[in-house]
Amino acid sequence: MKKLITLAIVLFCAVSLQAKGDLHLFSVDNKDGKITPYMIEKALNNGGFHVELNSNMIGPFKKQFKETQYKVFTLMTFWSKKYTRDLVIKYPKAGVFTPMGMGIYQAKNENTLHFSVLTAEAQGKILGIKDLSLLKKIETDVLAVIKKNFSTAKHTYSEDSLKTSHNLVTVYEMEVDEDEDPDDVLDELQMNLEGAFKPYGFVVPQFMDLNEVLTQDGTKESPFDFYITYSICKLPVIYTVSKSRPEASAFAPCTTMLYKKKGENKVVVGFPAVYNWLSSAKVEDKEAKATLLKAQKDFESILKDITE
C-alpha cells in the first residue's frame, strides 16, 4: 500500500511539474537597461517574423493617468513570414492572431525585463483548432528567436488558466448581395467601423491588409475578396489590467478581423474576447475585470451596429 501511495504522489508531482498555463513568460536581467523593445523587434524581424507594431505605453500612461509603476511597458505585434499564409487560409479565424502580440515590461523597482506571449496550445484553444502543427511551428520560431538573442532569459509559464464558459472569439456575420462589389462592401464597413471606434474610446494603432500578405510573392491567389485586421487598443483597459497582471499585455492590442471569402455572400467580423484576458492571465482584480467587461460590451455594440 505504501508503494502505491508513494507512486501516486510521484505521479501527481510529475503532472504538477508539467502543468503549464496559457502564456510563455520570459525574464532577463536588465539592470543596465541595455535590452530594449527595439532589440526585440530587430531579433524578431531577423528571425522570420515581421513586426507590425512596437508601441511604448509609458508616455500615454503618464499623459492620461499621470503616473505608472513601469519604466518599460511596450505592446508589440508581429506575424510569421513563413507560416501566416498557410495558417489563415486553413483557419480564417486565425486572423485574430495576425498579428499576434507580445507584452514587454519592467517595473520601476526591479532589474528584470519580462516578455509574455501566448502558447500554441492557448491559441489553438481560443481558435477552436485541434491540429496545432502550424501554431507549433510559429511558436518554435518565437522561442528560437528569444533563445538565440537573449540566451540568459529564464523561461516559465503563467499560472493555470481559469475556466470560462464564454466563447473565446466574438464573431458577427453580415449577409451581402451576390451582385455587390466587394470593394464597396469593404469601404462602407471600414467607414462605419472606424467611425465608431472613437466615441467608445478605442484607438487603432495599426491596420493590416492581410490579402497583401497572402499574395505577396505575386504567384499565389487569395481565397478572400478582402481580409483586413485592425489592432485595437483602449488605454484604460491596458493601464488598469497592467497594475495587477502585466503579462496580459500579450493580448494587447486586440486584433480584429474583417473578411469575406470568395464565393460566399457573407462578411465575418470578430476579435478575441476579453474572457481570454480573464481566463489565461487570471485577471481577478475587481476594477480590472469591470474595465475588461465594459470594453467587451462596447466592442460588441460596435460590431452589432455595423453588421445589422
Side-chain angles (χ1 to χ4, degrees):
M1 179 64 75
K2 284 184 177 180
K3 287 184 178 180
L4 288 174
I5 292 173
T6 301
L7 179 61
I9 292 172
V10 170
L11 289 173
F12 175 79
C13 292
V15 171
S16 298
L17 288 171
Q18 291 172 8
K20 60 183 181 181
D22 288 348
L23 296 166
H24 290 290
L25 302 178
F26 298 90
S27 56
V28 61
D29 179 72
N30 197 34
K31 185 177 181 179
D32 56 12
K34 289 184 178 180
I35 302 175
T36 68
Y38 294 102
M39 289 177 63
I40 299 171
E41 176 182 358
K42 183 178 179 180
L44 285 167
N45 283 335
N46 290 338
F49 295 92
H50 179 83
V51 172
E52 285 288 332
L53 179 71
N54 182 349
S55 183
N56 181 352
M57 304 304 293
I58 299 299
F61 282 172
K62 288 182 177 179
K63 183 176 181 179
Q64 185 161 341
F65 306 105
K66 311 305 178 188
E67 59 86 29
T68 176
Q69 67 193 51
Y70 297 96
K71 54 187 171 185
V72 177
F73 201 96
T74 292
L75 306 179
M76 188 169 291
T77 64
F78 57 98
W79 50 272
S80 169
K81 296 175 186 176
K82 295 181 187 175
Y83 303 115
T84 289
R85 185 180 193 279
D86 292 340
L87 180 65
V88 174
I89 288 177
K90 189 172 183 179
Y91 305 108
K93 279 205 303 185
V96 299
F97 290 125
T98 310
M100 61 187 289
M102 177 185 287
I104 304 165
Y105 50 94
Q106 182 173 349
K108 289 178 179 178
N109 62 352
E110 67 175 340
N111 296 323
T112 305
L113 184 71
H114 306 273
F115 326 147
S116 65
V117 64
L118 280 167
T119 66
E121 288 84 359
Q123 290 188 359
K125 175 182 70 175
I126 293 166
L127 296 171
I129 294 175
K130 292 183 179 180
D131 178 5
L132 302 181
S133 56
L134 285 168
L135 293 172
K136 279 287 188 181
K137 288 177 180 179
I138 295 172
E139 177 184 60
T140 297
D141 285 354
V142 172
L143 299 182
V145 166
I146 294 173
K147 184 177 181 179
K148 177 182 178 180
N149 293 274
F150 310 99
S151 58
T152 59
K154 180 183 177 182
H155 179 204
T156 59
Y157 293 91
S158 58
E159 302 172 48
D160 288 344
S161 60
L162 298 172
K163 291 183 179 180
T164 179
S165 59
H166 295 279
N167 291 329
L168 297 179
V169 178
T170 301
V171 176
Y172 290 87
E173 295 183 352
M174 183 185 78
E175 291 188 6
V176 295
D177 294 334
E178 284 186 32
D179 58 352
E180 284 193 79
D181 187 320
D183 290 337
D184 293 338
V185 172
L186 178 59
D187 287 345
E188 183 175 356
L189 279 170
Q190 284 188 278
M191 181 179 66
N192 292 337
L193 187 59
E194 293 170 10
F197 287 146
K198 192 172 181 179
Y200 282 96
F202 294 100
V203 296
V204 184
Q206 190 66 41
F207 164 89
M208 184 174 172
D209 186 339
L210 199 46
N211 250 6
E212 291 185 358
V213 175
L214 302 182
T215 59
Q216 63 184 352
D217 64 359
T219 63
K220 297 174 182 176
E221 292 187 0
S222 168
F224 304 97
D225 284 320
F226 56 79
Y227 200 135
I228 63 171
T229 62
Y230 289 95
S231 295
I232 309 296
C233 180
K234 193 168 187 178
L235 196 57
V237 172
I238 298 167
Y239 176 79
T240 305
V241 175
S242 74
K243 290 189 287 185
S244 60
R245 289 293 188 185
E247 63 269 33
S249 53
F251 285 107
C254 163
T255 298
T256 299
M257 63 181 179
L258 174 62
Y259 71 83
K260 179 184 178 298
K261 291 191 77 172
K262 292 177 179 177
E264 292 188 357
N265 298 326
K266 67 177 181 180
V267 173
V268 179
V269 189
F271 65 99
V274 302
Y275 307 113
N276 294 296
W277 300 51
L278 298 171
S279 172
S280 295
K282 295 190 76 170
V283 177
E284 297 174 293
D285 175 77
K286 187 178 292 186
E287 182 186 8
K289 287 175 68 175
T291 304
L292 281 166
L293 292 172
K294 175 67 165 55
Q296 176 75 23
K297 182 179 178 181
D298 288 346
F299 211 79
E300 286 181 4
S301 295
I302 291 173
L303 299 193
K304 284 179 183 176
D305 286 344
I306 71 163
T307 55
E308 285 181 347

